[in-house]
Amino acid sequence: MVKEGTKKKKVPRDDRSVSSRGTKGTRGKSPKRKKKGEEAKRAKSPKNPEKPASRKEGKGGRGDLAASSKNPENILEYIPQEYLDNVETAEPVLHFLPKMVASADETGASGSNPGSGVQSNTKFPNLRVLLSAAEDDIRLHRARVQAAKANNINFLRSYKIENDELWLLRQQRLNERTLMLSKLNTERSVILKELQESNVKGLTSQEMTQVQLARWQRALELYVYAPPKLGQAETDEEAQRDLEFLGLLEKLLEHITEEEDMSDIFSQAADMCSTLVDVTKQIVKDASEQVAEAEDVYQIRLEAHELFGRNALTRTEEIQNQFRINGRAALQIGNQLEFAESKRKRCESASVLIRRWWLMENTAEQEALSGEELNVEEEVRGVVPLASCRMDPLFTRRENSLDAARSLKQLRQVVRSRSGNANMSVERSDASVSRRFDLTANLIKRTSEALEQRLLNDFSEAYAKGGVYEFTAKPRPGQIEWKKLKDLARALNLFNNGRNLLERYVQLVVGTRLPELFDSAKVKSSGEEKEEENDDEEEFDMEATRSELTNLFHRLSEVCTEEFQLIAYIFDNPDADTGMGEVIPLKIARALCTRVIGDPKNGLQSRINDLLDSIDRKTDFDAGAKKLDTFVVIHEKASGLFSLLRDSAEKLVLQTEDSDKNADTTAVDSLKAFLNSQEAGLNNSHRHGYLNLELRLLHHECCNALDQAGCILMAPARIRVDQNLLEKGILEEYRAPLLPISKNSIKRAGFNELLSGPLKQSVLRQPLIHATDSLARARLMFGSGKDGGETSARVITSIYSQMCNFYGQAFLYPIAEALQEMLKSSAPFAAPQLPFNEDEAAHDMGVDPAFWVALERIHAAAKAFDREMWAETKKGSLRVWELLSMNGENSSALATGRDCRIEFFSELEHRGEDAVLRALDTMSAHIQWILVTGAEAMLSSGGARLFNQLSGQSGGPYAMSSGTSLEAPNSPAVKSLCYCLRVQFVQVQSALTPQSLSAFWTALSMRIYDILVTRLLQHWYVSTVGAVILARDVEALRSVSTLAGTKHDHWDILRELLTLYMTPPDALKIMLVGSEGDASSGKGLFQRAGREQSLVFMSRRVDFRYKTGQGLRKSIWATQLLDELKVRDPSDGHINMGLFAAGRRV
């Protein structure tokens, strides 16, 4: 851009100058001056020939067009005031573009028709011409800007931007900057790498400084001109740090020592920065000037596009208005022409009908006059030669069959219209007219019957020839003559609406294509052979039945599919009155399906009923299973058959241009509904009987599995019959009787027989196999999910509910109860012989190992039952949960199934807990038997016996004298008990879940603790030597008690209390209350174990009391200790053993 005050050389004018384009645009005529009033009026007009391109308020728009009023005749001799006021912000003032539009408007206005009321400008320039004018305005605007800057009007004539030196220099600078940026981006990594390098060996200090400054200058240019992008900065943190300005300053001073003078380096760096600032300033100025020019160019071109768009919108509105005005008249003319054409066709039809009537009337009169009856049937059939025929050739030639059928239909309509008209008094009064009419009507009737019979015979012959069902336009050898059949069907549909054709076609199909069903002789002989076979063989061959049914349904599917295709191609007569609004192909398909499926004697339903009746003659349960399989096969094949028929129904109606799609869709839906009703009728007739038979057979199979395993079943309770349903004749749904396993037989047989009998894996699995088979059959019979609906859900729920009742109340519940009753909670009367021999099998402690195996199998059976029957959240299993959830999560059947499941597991869990509690009681009794009875039985000799005689006390196993050996780690009772418990733990662990094992073993630990502590505090005394053995025994019992469970804190307290027996009397006070000697200090055993508990344990020391003539007395140290502590001795009175229970310490 040329700055203000600069001078520019004149450029000679040429053809490409602004003036030449302007002259060309005005066709050699300079614009005339207008008056101020006219100019103001034109300024308000939307078609102003010169206006600013901008639409901003105050800067341009329609109001600024008044500036052209001051224009001289030559626009190259005038600069608008907007450019003179402020050339930098002046917006373009258009001249060529508005002028071209105004010229086009004037041409269009002069060529329009004033009387038409519509002014259309067909001479409006196209977009290319408008853009050319816009380019002229762009050149004019640039010339005005330069002229205003130079204050030289000659620039308007001579300026061209291609010769502007300043513009060329600016473009050159912009191109150089683009190349520089591309080079910097390409060499970015090299520049950063050189900046990081410090290897300048072999260079002097000055050379090293110059090299560093050169590298730093390139890095500075990269920092200013091409800053790092976001992606690069994220992947290269070091490069990002180096391209920061502070980082660049650090690199500048990196190799400079303190002794060196840095002023020179900083001076050169400052010069570099100043140079970069100047260059950047120039670049910004060039960019702003280029953007300003681009904005002006864009505004001018946008104005051209806007004018073109407005004109296109105006033309569109005009065309729409013309269509609204003239379209109605054209529509009225078209309707009148169509009405006239329809009247002409009706007249022609009436003329042909009159001629046909006259010929028939003439033939009938000749027959009456000659007295010889006309052989209508022979002539129509072609028996009489054509030369000897007295009838019209229209009825005797086969190639005229369709036209003959149409003519006869019209003639029959005339006959019916006369006989139905009651206002024919004039004609009826004339006897001759009436006689001729009757003769003609009789001849028409005989001709119609003869022609229809001939057409039916021809149709039968063509169909009987058969062939491949291919429907190509060009006939092929061996192909069915479908075109001939189609022509015959069209003609036959004109007789009695095609009813005789429908009957004949259905009879042809069942007679020629399905002899297996409708050949009476063959069916009768086959039935007699089957009866003879049934008399000879009692066994029902399921494979043969399946094969027979498969072949039958396959044949039906094949025949119906092919016939549906044939129906779609030959029965499409558009001239027939279908009656009831139904499409002819669908009507015939319905009739065919009704005959094939629902024929009461030979139809598919009848054949299925005969087959099921033959199975019902057998009364064994094997026949019931075979009947169920037959049910499934029938409904599986029927589902496939009707699915194919429904798919074929979609192709029955061939879509044409004139067909009504809505009517065809309605007709197809009607046929589908009919097929669905046929399928439902076929299925529903057996479903109720299937359900009762399925439930009965399932119950029989389950009970039979237990019977085969040697189980004795109890007699069932009598089931009450619903008399209301019985009186109504409704078959009540089967309710399986409850036949539980005899608990007495289980107890008599023992654990081993139980494991090898009802709890055998194969026996537990067998009912589940039968149940899954029942679910599969039910799914095939009733469908799954929304297809089966509530009926399917009810059947699935019935099967699951019956299985819950059987597997629980009749199977697992009695076994769990028998296991509980088989355990004896009392220990043997005789004392055990301690210690037990560990080389032999451990004592079972009253609980046979098979008990735990039985519990484990019951638990596994319950899990298998839930996995095989319910299978919640297991997709694709097709079990109860998935089948019921297909109907919705909130369905009543799913809620009923969940209730049955919860009840089954709740009852089984309750009985299992009772059995485990009985085992806990039994083991507790045997622990008492070993730990107490066994230990005390060993006191009949030795030091303990002497102690009892001298002290008069029952000292127990831990009241040992001071000389007793301590070689044995534990007492015999504890050693034997721990051995038995460890063996028992392995068995319990395999039977119970981790949670149940933890709870059971924690309870057993508390029982052991309570037995030991109760016996110790009530009957035993502990000496110093015995305290050592007791501590070892407690540690052994604690070890076996912590094999499982988490709450064993009571053993820790007991171990602390045992220190009271090993401490001398003078140190007991510190043990009890701490070093302070205060009972209320909250320290010692009083705080950790309790005051009363500690004193009671201390009272079981052997030296706490001694024997005198007046009885037992406390030792002196005991009396003094109690006085010092100011507490009473709780052992003087009744001791509440509940305070010492393990449960109080948990």
Side-chain angles (χ1 to χ4, degrees):
M1 186 69 70
V2 181
K3 298 182 180 179
E4 291 183 344
T6 59
K7 294 183 179 180
K8 186 179 179 181
K9 298 179 181 180
K10 287 188 177 182
V11 181
R13 296 177 58 186
D14 54 10
D15 293 339
R16 298 179 59 188
S17 64
V18 176
S19 61
S20 63
R21 296 296 291 264
T23 305
K24 182 179 179 181
T26 56
R27 298 183 180 179
K29 297 179 181 180
S30 60
K32 298 181 179 180
R33 294 179 175 268
K34 304 289 183 179
K35 295 181 179 181
K36 291 185 178 180
E38 294 177 354
E39 293 293 332
K41 183 178 180 181
R42 191 176 63 176
K44 297 180 182 179
S45 174
K47 301 177 181 178
N48 191 4
E50 184 171 350
K51 61 178 180 179
S54 174
R55 301 178 63 85
K56 298 179 181 178
E57 294 181 8
K59 296 292 182 180
R62 302 299 179 186
D64 289 339
L65 296 180
S68 62
S69 61
K70 300 179 180 180
N71 288 354
E73 294 182 358
N74 193 346
I75 61 171
L76 302 179
E77 297 177 357
Y78 170 72
I79 301 176
Q81 189 64 34
E82 289 84 349
Y83 295 91
L84 298 176
D85 293 341
N86 190 352
V87 69
E88 299 294 338
T89 61
E91 297 193 6
V93 178
L94 306 183
H95 171 76
F96 294 101
L97 190 61
K99 183 179 179 180
M100 179 175 292
V101 174
S103 176
D105 290 343
E106 292 176 0
T107 304
S110 61
S112 62
N113 185 8
S116 61
V118 179
Q119 294 183 0
S120 61
N121 187 2
T122 59
K123 301 296 183 180
F124 194 84
N126 55 24
L127 183 59
R128 182 178 298 177
V129 176
L130 291 175
L131 290 177
S132 177
E135 292 296 329
D136 292 341
D137 280 325
I138 291 171
R139 294 188 183 92
L140 179 62
H141 171 69
R142 288 172 177 170
R144 286 173 175 175
V145 170
Q146 298 300 326
K149 287 183 178 181
N151 198 15
N152 186 357
I153 199 171
N154 293 328
F155 274 81
L156 296 177
R157 298 180 179 274
S158 61
Y159 177 77
K160 290 195 298 185
I161 195 171
E162 295 84 356
N163 299 328
D164 191 346
E165 295 179 358
L166 295 179
W167 182 83
L168 295 175
L169 290 174
R170 186 181 70 196
Q171 295 299 118
Q172 182 179 359
R173 288 194 298 270
L174 293 175
N175 293 334
E176 291 175 355
R177 169 173 169 75
T178 303
L179 294 175
M180 179 185 64
L181 291 178
S182 176
K183 183 177 180 182
L184 287 175
N185 288 326
T186 304
E187 299 177 353
R188 173 183 292 274
S189 59
V190 178
I191 294 172
L192 295 177
K193 184 177 180 181
E194 291 178 351
L195 185 64
Q196 299 295 333
E197 290 181 354
S198 60
N199 186 11
V200 289
K201 296 181 180 180
L203 300 178
T204 62
S205 176
Q206 184 177 3
E207 291 175 348
M208 183 177 64
T209 302
Q210 293 301 323
V211 171
Q212 187 67 17
L213 280 173
R215 294 177 178 176
W216 187 81
Q217 182 180 6
R218 296 187 68 190
L220 181 63
E221 291 176 353
L222 182 65
Y223 171 75
V224 174
Y225 293 139
K229 296 181 181 180
L230 182 60
Q232 296 176 352
E234 290 178 352
T235 57
D236 194 355
E237 296 180 358
E238 187 177 358
Q240 181 183 8
R241 182 179 63 82
D242 291 338
L243 287 178
E244 292 180 356
F245 191 72
L246 294 178
L248 290 175
L249 290 178
E250 292 177 2
K251 288 294 180 182
L252 180 64
L253 303 176
E254 189 174 16
H255 301 287
I256 300 175
T257 61
E258 297 179 358
E259 293 80 6
E260 296 179 0
D261 187 11
M262 293 184 293
S263 60
D264 186 25
I265 296 175
F266 279 121
S267 176
Q268 296 184 35
D271 293 341
M272 295 177 187
C273 292
S274 300
T275 303
L276 285 176
V277 169
D278 294 340
V279 173
T280 305
K281 182 177 179 181
Q282 184 62 40
I283 291 173
V284 172
K285 183 178 179 181
D286 293 343
S288 61
E289 291 177 355
Q290 187 178 16
V291 169
E293 290 182 1
E295 182 183 4
D296 294 338
V297 171
Y298 174 78
Q299 288 182 1
I300 295 173
R301 291 174 179 169
L302 182 63
E303 186 70 21
H305 283 84
E306 182 181 0
L307 291 172
F308 181 78
R310 288 180 178 177
N311 180 70
L313 180 61
T314 304
R315 292 290 306 278
T316 304
E317 293 176 352
E318 292 175 357
I319 293 173
Q320 184 179 6
N321 294 332
Q322 291 177 2
F323 175 77
R324 289 176 179 176
I325 296 173
N326 301 330
R328 296 171 184 172
L331 182 62
Q332 293 176 358
I333 294 172
N335 292 334
Q336 292 177 0
L337 290 175
E338 290 181 358
F339 181 71
E341 180 66 17
S342 64
K343 293 180 68 175
R344 184 186 67 80
K345 290 182 179 180
R346 290 175 62 185
C347 292
E348 290 181 355
S349 301
S351 175
V352 172
L353 179 61
I354 292 172
R355 283 200 304 271
R356 297 297 181 194
W357 179 269
W358 180 81
L359 289 175
M360 293 296 291
E361 186 180 27
N362 188 27
T363 304
E365 287 184 353
Q366 290 179 2
E367 179 186 12
L369 293 175
S370 63
E372 182 181 355
E373 184 177 0
L374 186 64
N375 294 326
V376 176
E377 184 175 356
E378 286 77 5
E379 291 188 10
V380 172
R381 287 172 53 192
V383 177
V384 179
L386 294 177
S388 304
C389 290
R390 299 165 56 187
M391 295 187 64
D392 190 349
L394 177 68
F395 307 110
T396 58
R397 295 181 180 272
R398 294 183 181 274
E399 58 270 17
N400 299 331
S401 297
L402 183 59
D403 294 336
R406 290 173 178 171
S407 299
L408 288 174
K409 181 180 179 181
Q410 294 174 352
L411 294 173
R412 290 195 301 272
Q413 289 177 349
V414 173
V415 173
R416 285 197 299 270
S417 63
R418 180 184 182 279
S419 60
N421 192 354
N423 298 321
M424 300 285 293
S425 57
V426 177
E427 294 185 1
R428 287 181 181 178
S429 60
D430 191 349
S432 62
V433 172
S434 178
R435 186 183 65 83
R436 288 198 310 269
F437 187 87
D438 293 339
L439 292 175
T440 306
N442 184 26
L443 180 59
I444 292 173
K445 179 180 178 182
R446 287 186 294 158
T447 306
S448 299
E449 293 175 352
L451 181 60
E452 182 182 12
Q453 189 63 37
R454 189 193 75 186
L455 293 173
L456 288 175
N457 294 335
D458 293 344
F459 187 89
S460 300
E461 292 176 1
Y463 184 86
K465 290 180 181 179
V468 181
Y469 280 58
E470 292 182 358
F471 305 96
T472 57
K474 186 177 180 180
R476 296 180 182 178
Q479 183 180 0
I480 191 171
E481 298 178 352
W482 68 276
K483 289 188 175 181
K484 181 178 180 181
L485 292 173
K486 182 176 182 179
D487 295 337
L488 293 173
R490 284 186 174 180
L492 285 169
N493 276 325
L494 300 173
F495 295 95
N496 198 16
N497 288 333
R499 292 187 179 89
N500 295 330
L501 171 64
L502 189 150
E503 295 177 0
R504 177 64 63 88
Y505 171 73
V506 172
Q507 186 62 33
L508 287 172
V509 172
V510 299
T512 59
R513 302 296 305 277
L514 294 172
E516 301 90 344
L517 288 177
F518 294 92
D519 191 348
S520 303
K522 188 174 181 180
V523 171
K524 184 176 180 181
S525 61
S526 176
E528 292 176 355
E529 291 177 1
K530 287 185 177 181
E531 290 180 0
E532 293 177 358
E533 291 178 359
N534 291 334
D535 294 338
D536 297 337
E537 299 179 5
E538 295 182 357
E539 186 177 357
F540 180 78
D541 191 353
M542 185 60 205
E543 293 300 328
T545 303
R546 181 186 294 271
S547 177
E548 181 182 355
L549 289 174
T550 301
N551 295 334
L552 178 60
F553 278 99
H554 178 73
R555 181 60 179 166
L556 284 176
S557 301
E558 180 182 0
V559 170
C560 291
T561 303
E562 292 179 350
E563 294 303 322
F564 276 17
Q565 295 178 2
L566 183 64
I567 290 171
Y569 277 93
I570 67 175
F571 296 102
D572 61 344
N573 184 14
D575 299 331
D577 183 11
T578 58
M580 304 300 293
E582 187 175 13
V583 181
I584 291 180
L586 302 178
K587 181 179 179 181
I588 296 177
R590 172 178 291 188
L592 178 61
C593 292
T594 303
R595 180 70 183 279
V596 171
I597 297 173
D599 188 85
K601 185 177 181 181
N602 297 321
L604 178 63
Q605 179 70 55
S606 177
R607 293 292 301 276
I608 292 174
N609 291 336
D610 294 341
L611 178 61
L612 296 177
D613 292 339
S614 66
I615 301 175
D616 288 338
R617 297 191 186 100
K618 305 179 184 296
T619 59
D620 56 348
F621 279 94
D622 291 337
K626 294 170 183 177
K627 186 173 182 179
L628 286 178
D629 293 337
T630 307
F631 273 133
V632 173
V633 172
I634 290 172
H635 290 276
E636 180 182 2
K637 301 301 180 181
S639 177
L641 171 63
F642 283 98
S643 178
L644 287 175
L645 294 180
R646 282 189 290 268
D647 293 339
S648 301
E650 296 282 353
K651 306 174 183 178
L652 272 175
V653 180
L654 300 178
Q655 295 292 338
T656 60
E657 296 180 356
D658 300 332
S659 61
D660 188 356
K661 294 184 178 180
N662 294 330
D664 294 344
T665 304
T666 303
V668 172
D669 293 339
S670 176
L671 179 59
K672 286 184 177 180
F674 169 74
L675 292 174
N676 291 334
S677 65
Q678 290 290 318
E679 183 179 9
L682 182 64
N683 294 335
N684 293 335
S685 60
H686 308 300
R687 280 183 171 178
H688 194 276
Y690 159 80
L691 177 58
N692 285 342
L693 182 59
E694 182 68 73
L695 296 177
R696 185 186 299 273
L697 182 64
L698 176 60
H699 180 68
H700 166 73
E701 296 289 353
C702 294
C703 294
N704 185 57
L706 298 183
D707 183 63
Q708 294 295 328
C711 300
I712 299 177
L713 304 180
M714 301 293 292
R718 186 174 182 180
I719 299 177
R720 181 176 175 272
V721 180
D722 192 345
Q723 296 296 332
N724 294 329
L725 294 178
L726 188 63
E727 293 175 357
K728 295 178 181 179
I730 300 176
L731 183 61
E732 187 178 1
E733 184 176 317
Y734 176 75
R735 290 178 293 170
L738 186 62
L739 282 75
I741 299 178
S742 175
K743 293 188 289 184
N744 293 331
S745 65
I746 295 176
K747 291 188 288 185
R748 287 195 301 268
F751 289 104
N752 293 331
E753 292 294 333
L754 178 63
L755 294 179
S756 61
L759 289 183
K760 191 176 180 180
Q761 294 294 341
S762 59
V763 179
L764 292 171
R765 183 73 179 168
Q766 199 64 32
L768 301 181
I769 295 175
H770 297 310
T772 53
D773 292 342
S774 297
L775 289 177
R777 284 194 294 264
R779 181 172 56 85
L780 293 175
M781 282 290 296
F782 295 91
S784 58
K786 296 182 179 179
D787 296 336
E790 293 296 331
T791 304
S792 176
R794 182 178 62 84
V795 172
I796 298 298
T797 305
S798 300
I799 294 175
Y800 183 67
S801 176
Q802 179 173 307
M803 280 303 299
C804 287
N805 292 333
F806 168 78
Y807 217 70
Q809 298 180 21
F811 192 9
L812 297 183
Y813 294 174
I815 295 177
E817 294 172 358
L819 287 176
Q820 175 186 355
E821 296 174 4
M822 291 168 70
L823 297 180
K824 297 180 180 180
S825 58
S826 60
F829 292 101
Q833 298 296 324
L834 301 178
F836 294 148
N837 187 1
E838 296 185 4
D839 294 334
E840 299 177 356
H843 195 278
D844 59 4
M845 301 183 71
V847 181
D848 194 286
F851 170 83
W852 301 109
V853 178
L855 276 185
E856 189 273 333
R857 290 191 181 179
I858 291 175
H859 181 258
K863 291 173 61 177
F865 177 80
D866 192 58
R867 181 176 60 254
E868 296 295 332
M869 294 297 297
W870 186 256
E872 186 166 356
T873 68
K874 187 177 180 182
K875 300 296 184 181
S877 62
L878 297 178
R879 294 298 187 261
V880 175
W881 176 82
E882 185 177 10
L883 295 175
L884 295 182
S885 60
M886 290 180 181
N887 291 328
E889 289 293 334
N890 299 324
S891 62
S892 59
L894 185 59
T896 305
R898 284 200 176 103
D899 293 340
C900 293
R901 178 172 178 259
I902 293 173
E903 182 181 0
F904 169 77
F905 282 100
S906 299
E907 293 294 331
L908 184 60
E909 183 180 7
H910 175 69
R911 287 167 173 79
E913 290 177 355
D914 291 343
V916 173
L917 289 177
R918 176 61 70 88
L920 180 62
D921 294 339
T922 302
M923 292 179 65
S924 301
H926 283 75
I927 291 172
Q928 176 87 15
W929 177 62
I930 296 174
L931 191 60
V932 176
T933 306
E936 293 180 352
M938 299 181 66
L939 300 179
S940 59
S941 62
R945 180 187 178 191
L946 296 176
F947 174 81
N948 293 340
Q949 292 176 354
L950 294 175
S951 62
Q953 304 173 8
S954 177
Y958 301 107
M960 300 177 181
S961 59
S962 58
T964 305
S965 174
L966 297 176
E967 294 179 358
N970 300 107
S971 63
V974 173
K975 180 181 179 182
S976 301
L977 178 61
C978 291
Y979 168 61
C980 295
L981 287 176
R982 290 185 183 276
V983 174
Q984 195 73 231
F985 175 78
V986 177
Q987 301 166 358
V988 176
Q989 187 181 24
S990 64
L992 302 182
T993 61
Q995 295 82 3
S996 301
L997 176 63
S998 176
F1000 177 81
W1001 210 253
T1002 300
L1004 185 65
S1005 172
M1006 293 181 181
R1007 295 283 183 96
I1008 297 172
Y1009 176 88
D1010 292 341
I1011 291 171
L1012 177 62
V1013 171
T1014 301
R1015 197 65 181 177
L1016 174 64
L1017 297 182
Q1018 289 183 344
H1019 300 283
W1020 292 348
Y1021 289 89
V1022 183
S1023 63
T1024 304
V1025 177
V1028 177
I1029 302 299
L1030 178 58
R1032 294 176 181 175
D1033 289 349
V1034 169
E1035 187 63 31
L1037 293 174
R1038 178 183 176 277
S1039 177
V1040 77
S1041 297
T1042 55
L1043 291 175
T1046 56
K1047 301 177 181 179
H1048 302 290
D1049 298 340
H1050 46 278
W1051 291 108
D1052 298 332
I1053 302 298
L1054 179 59
R1055 287 194 300 176
E1056 293 188 22
L1057 290 172
L1058 293 182
T1059 58
L1060 294 173
Y1061 302 125
M1062 294 180 281
T1063 305
D1066 53 355
L1068 287 175
K1069 183 176 181 181
I1070 297 176
M1071 293 290 297
L1072 292 173
V1073 297
S1075 59
E1076 297 179 0
D1078 186 5
S1080 60
S1081 63
K1083 297 180 180 180
L1085 288 176
F1086 277 12
Q1087 189 272 334
R1088 293 191 297 274
R1091 183 176 66 179
E1092 186 172 353
Q1093 289 84 344
S1094 301
L1095 293 176
V1096 172
F1097 268 90
M1098 186 183 67
S1099 67
R1100 306 313 295 175
R1101 290 173 61 106
V1102 294
D1103 57 350
F1104 189 81
R1105 288 183 175 86
Y1106 63 92
K1107 185 178 181 181
T1108 63
Q1110 290 81 20
L1112 294 176
R1113 291 182 178 274
K1114 293 184 180 70
S1115 300
I1116 297 174
W1117 64 266
T1119 305
Q1120 291 176 354
L1121 179 60
L1122 293 174
D1123 293 339
E1124 291 175 1
L1125 296 175
K1126 298 180 181 180
V1127 295
R1128 66 176 186 85
D1129 184 10
S1131 62
D1132 291 342
H1134 175 71
I1135 300 175
N1136 183 9
M1137 296 307 300
L1139 299 175
F1140 301 90
R1144 292 180 60 88
R1145 301 186 182 276
V1146 177

